[in-house]
PDB file of all heavy atoms in Angstrom:
ATOM      1  N   GLY B  28       2.993 -45.930 -21.653  1.00 93.00           N
ATOM      2  CA  GLY B  28       2.471 -45.078 -22.704  1.00 93.00           C
ATOM      3  C   GLY B  28       2.863 -43.746 -22.657  1.00 93.00           C
ATOM      4  O   GLY B  28       2.215 -42.769 -23.133  1.00 93.00           O
ATOM      5  N   VAL B  29       4.063 -43.423 -22.044  1.00 94.00           N
ATOM      6  CA  VAL B  29       4.575 -41.966 -21.949  1.00 94.00           C
ATOM      7  C   VAL B  29       5.475 -41.574 -23.040  1.00 94.00           C
ATOM      8  O   VAL B  29       5.752 -40.505 -23.206  1.00 94.00           O
ATOM      9  CB  VAL B  29       5.213 -41.727 -20.577  1.00 94.00           C
ATOM     10  CG1 VAL B  29       4.128 -41.893 -19.454  1.00 94.00           C
ATOM     11  CG2 VAL B  29       6.360 -42.589 -20.281  1.00 94.00           C
ATOM     12  N   ILE B  30       5.854 -42.597 -23.851  1.00 96.00           N
ATOM     13  CA  ILE B  30       6.790 -42.313 -24.970  1.00 96.00           C
ATOM     14  C   ILE B  30       5.857 -42.060 -26.137  1.00 96.00           C
ATOM     15  O   ILE B  30       5.157 -42.903 -26.688  1.00 96.00           O
ATOM     16  CB  ILE B  30       7.678 -43.481 -25.319  1.00 96.00           C
ATOM     17  CG1 ILE B  30       8.480 -43.965 -24.050  1.00 96.00           C
ATOM     18  CG2 ILE B  30       8.735 -43.116 -26.431  1.00 96.00           C
ATOM     19  CD1 ILE B  30       9.428 -43.001 -23.453  1.00 96.00           C
ATOM     20  N   ARG B  31       5.916 -40.814 -26.687  1.00 94.00           N
ATOM     21  CA  ARG B  31       5.039 -40.478 -27.746  1.00 94.00           C
ATOM     22  C   ARG B  31       5.726 -40.510 -29.051  1.00 94.00           C
ATOM     23  O   ARG B  31       5.014 -40.723 -30.147  1.00 94.00           O
ATOM     24  CB  ARG B  31       4.575 -38.950 -27.512  1.00 94.00           C
ATOM     25  CG  ARG B  31       3.528 -38.812 -26.450  1.00 94.00           C
ATOM     26  CD  ARG B  31       2.240 -39.389 -26.981  1.00 94.00           C
ATOM     27  NE  ARG B  31       1.301 -39.609 -25.913  1.00 94.00           N
ATOM     28  CZ  ARG B  31       0.547 -38.651 -25.426  1.00 94.00           C
ATOM     29  NH1 ARG B  31       0.563 -37.428 -25.876  1.00 94.00           N
ATOM     30  NH2 ARG B  31      -0.341 -38.887 -24.440  1.00 94.00           N
ATOM     31  N   GLU B  32       6.969 -40.422 -29.139  1.00 95.00           N
ATOM     32  CA  GLU B  32       7.688 -40.324 -30.385  1.00 95.00           C
ATOM     33  C   GLU B  32       9.063 -40.604 -30.342  1.00 95.00           C
ATOM     34  O   GLU B  32       9.751 -40.203 -29.426  1.00 95.00           O
ATOM     35  CB  GLU B  32       7.427 -38.896 -31.013  1.00 95.00           C
ATOM     36  CG  GLU B  32       7.963 -38.742 -32.378  1.00 95.00           C
ATOM     37  CD  GLU B  32       7.887 -37.326 -32.951  1.00 95.00           C
ATOM     38  OE1 GLU B  32       7.989 -36.347 -32.162  1.00 95.00           O
ATOM     39  OE2 GLU B  32       7.927 -37.161 -34.181  1.00 95.00           O
ATOM     40  N   VAL B  33       9.624 -41.272 -31.327  1.00 97.00           N
ATOM     41  CA  VAL B  33      11.063 -41.551 -31.502  1.00 97.00           C
ATOM     42  C   VAL B  33      11.414 -41.190 -32.922  1.00 97.00           C
ATOM     43  O   VAL B  33      10.781 -41.723 -33.826  1.00 97.00           O
ATOM     44  CB  VAL B  33      11.436 -42.967 -31.160  1.00 97.00           C
ATOM     45  CG1 VAL B  33      12.888 -43.175 -31.540  1.00 97.00           C
ATOM     46  CG2 VAL B  33      11.257 -43.337 -29.631  1.00 97.00           C
ATOM     47  N   ARG B  34      12.244 -40.157 -33.105  1.00 96.00           N
ATOM     48  CA  ARG B  34      12.711 -39.818 -34.525  1.00 96.00           C
ATOM     49  C   ARG B  34      14.021 -39.237 -34.533  1.00 96.00           C
ATOM     50  O   ARG B  34      14.513 -38.863 -33.514  1.00 96.00           O
ATOM     51  CB  ARG B  34      11.641 -38.945 -35.104  1.00 96.00           C
ATOM     52  CG  ARG B  34      11.716 -37.487 -34.541  1.00 96.00           C
ATOM     53  CD  ARG B  34      10.563 -36.603 -35.184  1.00 96.00           C
ATOM     54  NE  ARG B  34      10.276 -35.482 -34.316  1.00 96.00           N
ATOM     55  CZ  ARG B  34      11.020 -34.299 -34.294  1.00 96.00           C
ATOM     56  NH1 ARG B  34      12.106 -34.222 -35.126  1.00 96.00           N
ATOM     57  NH2 ARG B  34      10.714 -33.366 -33.517  1.00 96.00           N
ATOM     58  N   PHE B  35      14.543 -39.111 -35.703  1.00 96.00           N
ATOM     59  CA  PHE B  35      15.942 -38.554 -35.830  1.00 96.00           C
ATOM     60  C   PHE B  35      15.792 -37.103 -36.531  1.00 96.00           C
ATOM     61  O   PHE B  35      15.022 -37.052 -37.446  1.00 96.00           O
ATOM     62  CB  PHE B  35      16.894 -39.365 -36.648  1.00 96.00           C
ATOM     63  CG  PHE B  35      17.466 -40.475 -35.725  1.00 96.00           C
ATOM     64  CD1 PHE B  35      16.847 -41.710 -35.730  1.00 96.00           C
ATOM     65  CD2 PHE B  35      18.582 -40.241 -35.011  1.00 96.00           C
ATOM     66  CE1 PHE B  35      17.378 -42.727 -34.864  1.00 96.00           C
ATOM     67  CE2 PHE B  35      19.124 -41.170 -34.239  1.00 96.00           C
ATOM     68  CZ  PHE B  35      18.518 -42.487 -34.168  1.00 96.00           C
ATOM     69  N   ASP B  36      16.334 -36.095 -35.969  1.00 96.00           N
ATOM     70  CA  ASP B  36      16.405 -34.774 -36.512  1.00 96.00           C
ATOM     71  C   ASP B  36      17.827 -34.656 -36.937  1.00 96.00           C
ATOM     72  O   ASP B  36      18.691 -34.316 -36.109  1.00 96.00           O
ATOM     73  CB  ASP B  36      15.936 -33.798 -35.501  1.00 96.00           C
ATOM     74  CG  ASP B  36      15.999 -32.275 -35.975  1.00 96.00           C
ATOM     75  OD1 ASP B  36      16.293 -32.156 -37.119  1.00 96.00           O
ATOM     76  OD2 ASP B  36      15.885 -31.446 -35.127  1.00 96.00           O
ATOM     77  N   GLY B  37      18.179 -34.956 -38.124  1.00 94.00           N
ATOM     78  CA  GLY B  37      19.558 -35.014 -38.613  1.00 94.00           C
ATOM     79  C   GLY B  37      20.177 -36.129 -37.912  1.00 94.00           C
ATOM     80  O   GLY B  37      19.690 -37.243 -37.922  1.00 94.00           O
ATOM     81  N   ASP B  38      21.310 -35.866 -37.178  1.00 94.00           N
ATOM     82  CA  ASP B  38      21.901 -36.953 -36.391  1.00 94.00           C
ATOM     83  C   ASP B  38      21.555 -36.971 -34.957  1.00 94.00           C
ATOM     84  O   ASP B  38      22.146 -37.637 -34.100  1.00 94.00           O
ATOM     85  CB  ASP B  38      23.447 -37.018 -36.598  1.00 94.00           C
ATOM     86  CG  ASP B  38      24.119 -35.673 -36.165  1.00 94.00           C
ATOM     87  OD1 ASP B  38      23.310 -34.708 -35.848  1.00 94.00           O
ATOM     88  OD2 ASP B  38      25.313 -35.612 -36.276  1.00 94.00           O
ATOM     89  N   THR B  39      20.593 -36.031 -34.524  1.00 96.00           N
ATOM     90  CA  THR B  39      20.117 -35.953 -33.195  1.00 96.00           C
ATOM     91  C   THR B  39      18.921 -36.819 -33.007  1.00 96.00           C
ATOM     92  O   THR B  39      17.902 -36.736 -33.638  1.00 96.00           O
ATOM     93  CB  THR B  39      19.742 -34.479 -32.762  1.00 96.00           C
ATOM     94  OG1 THR B  39      20.901 -33.676 -32.967  1.00 96.00           O
ATOM     95  CG2 THR B  39      19.385 -34.423 -31.402  1.00 96.00           C
ATOM     96  N   LEU B  40      18.942 -37.659 -31.965  1.00 97.00           N
ATOM     97  CA  LEU B  40      17.795 -38.473 -31.637  1.00 97.00           C
ATOM     98  C   LEU B  40      16.859 -37.637 -30.675  1.00 97.00           C
ATOM     99  O   LEU B  40      17.156 -37.120 -29.707  1.00 97.00           O
ATOM    100  CB  LEU B  40      18.180 -39.725 -30.794  1.00 97.00           C
ATOM    101  CG  LEU B  40      17.137 -40.579 -30.236  1.00 97.00           C
ATOM    102  CD1 LEU B  40      16.276 -41.156 -31.374  1.00 97.00           C
ATOM    103  CD2 LEU B  40      17.719 -41.770 -29.458  1.00 97.00           C
ATOM    104  N   VAL B  41      15.528 -37.648 -31.186  1.00 97.00           N
ATOM    105  CA  VAL B  41      14.563 -36.848 -30.519  1.00 97.00           C
ATOM    106  C   VAL B  41      13.597 -37.859 -29.887  1.00 97.00           C
ATOM    107  O   VAL B  41      12.963 -38.682 -30.648  1.00 97.00           O
ATOM    108  CB  VAL B  41      13.763 -35.891 -31.469  1.00 97.00           C
ATOM    109  CG1 VAL B  41      12.683 -35.170 -30.700  1.00 97.00           C
ATOM    110  CG2 VAL B  41      14.720 -34.890 -32.053  1.00 97.00           C
ATOM    111  N   VAL B  42      13.318 -37.752 -28.636  1.00 97.00           N
ATOM    112  CA  VAL B  42      12.275 -38.576 -27.873  1.00 97.00           C
ATOM    113  C   VAL B  42      11.194 -37.688 -27.349  1.00 97.00           C
ATOM    114  O   VAL B  42      11.576 -36.832 -26.476  1.00 97.00           O
ATOM    115  CB  VAL B  42      12.931 -39.487 -26.861  1.00 97.00           C
ATOM    116  CG1 VAL B  42      11.886 -40.286 -26.165  1.00 97.00           C
ATOM    117  CG2 VAL B  42      14.092 -40.347 -27.350  1.00 97.00           C
ATOM    118  N   GLY B  43      10.039 -37.856 -27.761  1.00 96.00           N
ATOM    119  CA  GLY B  43       8.899 -37.046 -27.243  1.00 96.00           C
ATOM    120  C   GLY B  43       8.312 -37.795 -26.019  1.00 96.00           C
ATOM    121  O   GLY B  43       7.954 -38.993 -26.124  1.00 96.00           O
ATOM    122  N   VAL B  44       8.252 -37.169 -24.809  1.00 96.00           N
ATOM    123  CA  VAL B  44       7.691 -37.766 -23.712  1.00 96.00           C
ATOM    124  C   VAL B  44       6.575 -36.993 -23.055  1.00 96.00           C
ATOM    125  O   VAL B  44       6.670 -35.798 -23.008  1.00 96.00           O
ATOM    126  CB  VAL B  44       8.906 -37.951 -22.562  1.00 96.00           C
ATOM    127  CG1 VAL B  44       8.472 -38.644 -21.381  1.00 96.00           C
ATOM    128  CG2 VAL B  44      10.151 -38.513 -23.102  1.00 96.00           C
ATOM    129  N   THR B  45       5.611 -37.717 -22.718  1.00 94.00           N
ATOM    130  CA  THR B  45       4.390 -36.973 -22.067  1.00 94.00           C
ATOM    131  C   THR B  45       4.319 -37.297 -20.561  1.00 94.00           C
ATOM    132  O   THR B  45       4.628 -38.403 -20.196  1.00 94.00           O
ATOM    133  CB  THR B  45       3.076 -37.357 -22.810  1.00 94.00           C
ATOM    134  OG1 THR B  45       2.143 -36.364 -22.406  1.00 94.00           O
ATOM    135  CG2 THR B  45       2.598 -38.755 -22.433  1.00 94.00           C
TER     136      THR B  45
END
Side-chain angles (χ1 to χ4, degrees):
Chain B
V29 295
I30 309 293
R31 282 291 164 81
E32 185 185 25
V33 171
R34 72 182 158 85
F35 281 92
D36 175 9
D38 57 356
T39 300
L40 173 61
V41 179
V42 179
V44 186
T45 195

